[in-house]
Amino acid sequence: MGVMNMAPDIHVTPREMEVLHWVAEGKTAAEIGTILGVSYITINQHIRNTKEKFGVYKDTALVAKALRSGIIT
């Protein structure tokens, strides 16, 4: 069974992709901010933007949809 690309029209920036990777690893916004050298407020904004692009409200739904669409592995 192959991966179905359910979100071909969603454009995720390289930074959003980086943040999404760390969210999928279970990191908090504060931890991701420390890793990437930016504030947790900036990370939360990236997460909000990405959730909006995917049409979801929760971090878990964001990660699930990104995995299903093949955006992250």
Side-chain angles (χ1 to χ4, degrees):
M1 176 191 256
V3 173
M4 242 172 44
N5 191 350
M6 297 170 52
D9 57 339
I10 295 176
H11 172 72
V12 180
T13 68
R15 181 59 104 183
E16 289 169 344
M17 190 71 144
E18 221 173 351
V19 171
L20 188 52
H21 162 77
W22 289 114
V23 171
E25 291 292 320
K27 300 293 185 190
T28 66
E31 291 169 330
I32 298 168
T34 299
I35 292 166
L36 299 180
V38 297
S39 79
Y40 75 92
I41 295 168
T42 301
I43 298 302
N44 280 331
Q45 187 60 52
H46 286 305
I47 293 169
R48 273 192 300 275
N49 290 343
T50 309
K51 285 179 187 174
E52 187 175 314
K53 290 177 182 184
F54 278 88
V56 298
Y57 298 101
K58 296 188 178 213
D59 290 0
T60 51
L62 174 63
V63 171
K65 200 162 186 179
L67 285 167
R68 281 194 312 270
S69 68
I71 300 254
I72 60 173
T73 56

